[in-house]
Coordinates of all heavy atoms in Angstrom, one line a residue:
W757 N 3.5 136.2 86.8 CA 4.5 136.2 87.8 C 3.9 135.7 89.1 O 3.0 136.3 89.6 CB 5.2 137.5 87.9 CG 5.8 137.9 89.2 CD1 6.4 137.0 90.1 CD2 5.9 139.2 89.8 NE1 6.8 137.7 91.3 CE2 6.5 139.0 91.1 CE3 5.6 140.4 89.4 CZ2 6.8 140.1 92.0 CZ3 5.8 141.5 90.3 CH2 6.5 141.3 91.5
D768 N 8.5 135.8 106.1 CA 8.3 136.9 105.2 C 7.4 136.4 104.0 O 7.8 136.6 102.9 CB 9.6 137.5 104.8 CG 9.4 138.8 104.0 OD1 8.3 139.4 104.1 OD2 10.3 139.2 103.2
Y771 N 9.4 134.8 101.1 CA 10.6 135.5 100.7 C 11.8 135.0 101.5 O 12.9 135.6 101.5 CB 10.5 137.0 100.6 CG 9.7 137.4 99.3 CD1 8.4 137.6 99.3 CD2 10.4 137.6 98.1 CE1 7.7 137.9 98.2 CE2 9.8 137.9 97.0 CZ 8.4 138.1 97.0 OH 7.7 138.4 95.8
D772 N 11.5 134.1 102.4 CA 12.5 133.5 103.2 C 12.6 132.0 102.8 O 11.8 131.2 103.3 CB 12.2 133.6 104.7 CG 10.7 133.4 105.1 OD1 9.8 133.5 104.2 OD2 10.5 132.9 106.2
D806 N 9.7 133.7 91.0 CA 10.4 134.7 91.8 C 11.6 134.1 92.5 O 11.5 133.2 93.3 CB 9.3 135.2 92.8 CG 9.5 136.6 93.3 OD1 10.7 137.0 93.4 OD2 8.5 137.3 93.6
V808 N 14.6 134.5 95.0 CA 15.1 135.3 96.1 C 16.5 134.9 96.4 O 16.7 133.9 97.1 CB 14.2 135.1 97.3 CG1 14.5 136.1 98.4 CG2 12.7 135.1 96.9
H811 N 19.2 136.7 99.9 CA 19.2 136.1 101.2 C 18.5 134.7 101.1 O 17.8 134.4 100.1 CB 18.5 136.9 102.2 CG 17.2 137.6 101.8 ND1 17.2 138.8 101.2 CD2 16.0 137.1 101.7 CE1 15.9 139.1 100.9 NE2 15.2 138.1 101.1
F852 N 13.3 146.0 107.6 CA 12.1 145.7 108.4 C 12.1 146.3 109.8 O 11.3 146.0 110.7 CB 11.8 144.2 108.5 CG 11.4 143.6 107.2 CD1 11.5 142.2 107.0 CD2 11.0 144.4 106.1 CE1 11.1 141.6 105.8 CE2 10.7 143.8 104.9 CZ 10.7 142.4 104.7
F871 N 17.0 142.3 105.6 CA 15.6 142.2 105.9 C 15.4 141.6 107.2 O 16.1 142.0 108.2 CB 14.9 141.5 104.7 CG 15.0 142.3 103.4 CD1 16.1 142.2 102.6 CD2 14.0 143.2 103.1 CE1 16.2 143.0 101.4 CE2 14.1 144.0 101.9 CZ 15.2 143.9 101.1
Q875 N 16.3 136.1 107.7 CA 16.7 136.2 106.3 C 18.1 136.6 106.1 O 18.4 137.8 105.7 CB 15.8 137.2 105.5 CG 14.3 136.7 105.3 CD 13.4 137.8 104.8 OE1 13.3 138.8 105.5 NE2 12.7 137.6 103.7
R905 N 11.8 136.6 87.9 CA 11.9 137.9 88.6 C 12.9 137.7 89.7 O 12.9 136.7 90.4 CB 10.5 138.3 89.2 CG 10.5 139.6 90.0 CD 10.0 139.4 91.4 NE 9.8 140.6 92.2 CZ 10.1 140.7 93.5 NH1 10.5 139.7 94.2 NH2 9.9 141.9 94.1
D907 N 14.5 139.0 93.1 CA 14.1 139.8 94.3 C 15.3 140.7 94.7 O 16.5 140.2 94.7 CB 13.8 138.9 95.4 CG 13.2 139.5 96.6 OD1 12.1 140.1 96.5 OD2 13.8 139.4 97.7
V908 N 15.1 142.0 95.0 CA 16.1 142.9 95.5 C 17.5 142.6 95.0 O 18.5 142.6 95.7 CB 16.1 143.1 97.0 CG1 14.8 143.8 97.5 CG2 16.2 141.8 97.8
E958 N 14.1 143.3 90.6 CA 13.6 144.3 91.5 C 14.7 145.1 92.0 O 15.6 144.6 92.7 CB 12.8 143.6 92.7 CG 12.1 144.6 93.6 CD 11.8 144.1 95.0 OE1 12.5 143.2 95.4 OE2 10.9 144.6 95.6
N1031 N 2.0 146.1 93.6 CA 2.5 144.7 93.8 C 2.1 144.3 95.2 O 1.4 145.1 95.9 CB 4.0 144.6 93.4 CG 4.9 145.4 94.4 OD1 4.6 145.5 95.5 ND2 6.0 145.8 93.8
H1032 N 2.7 143.2 95.7 CA 2.3 142.7 97.0 C 3.0 143.5 98.1 O 2.8 143.2 99.3 CB 2.8 141.2 97.1 CG 4.2 141.1 96.9 ND1 4.9 141.3 95.7 CD2 5.2 140.8 97.8 CE1 6.2 141.2 95.9 NE2 6.4 140.9 97.1
D1033 N 3.8 144.5 97.8 CA 4.4 145.3 98.8 C 3.8 146.7 98.8 O 4.3 147.6 99.6 CB 5.9 145.5 98.5 CG 6.7 144.2 98.6 OD1 6.3 143.3 99.4 OD2 7.7 144.1 97.8
R1118 N 1.8 146.7 103.8 CA 1.8 145.9 102.6 C 0.6 144.9 102.7 O 0.2 144.4 101.6 CB 3.1 145.0 102.6 CG 4.4 145.9 102.7 CD 5.6 145.1 102.4 NE 5.9 144.0 103.3 CZ 7.0 143.2 103.2 NH1 7.8 143.4 102.2 NH2 7.2 142.3 104.1
R1122 N -2.5 142.5 100.2 CA -2.4 141.1 100.4 C -3.7 140.4 100.9 O -3.7 139.2 101.1 CB -1.3 140.8 101.5 CG 0.1 141.2 100.9 CD 1.2 141.0 101.9 NE 2.5 141.5 101.4 CZ 3.6 141.3 101.9 NH1 3.7 140.7 103.1 NH2 4.7 141.7 101.3
Ligands
GLC29 C1 11.2 142.2 98.1 C2 9.8 141.5 98.1 C3 9.3 141.7 99.5 C4 10.2 141.0 100.5 C5 11.7 141.5 100.3 C6 12.6 140.7 101.0 O1 11.1 143.6 98.3 O2 9.0 142.1 97.1 O3 8.0 141.2 99.6 O4 9.8 141.2 101.8 O5 12.1 141.6 99.0 O6 12.8 139.4 100.3

Side-chain angles (χ1 to χ4, degrees):
W757 151 30
D768 187 22
Y771 281 93
D772 45 332
D806 207 325
V808 191
H811 42 264
F852 292 165
F871 294 87
Q875 290 169 302
R905 178 238 188 214
D907 191 61
V908 292
E958 186 201 25
N1031 65 32
H1032 62 291
D1033 296 327
R1118 307 194 293 180
R1122 298 177 178 186

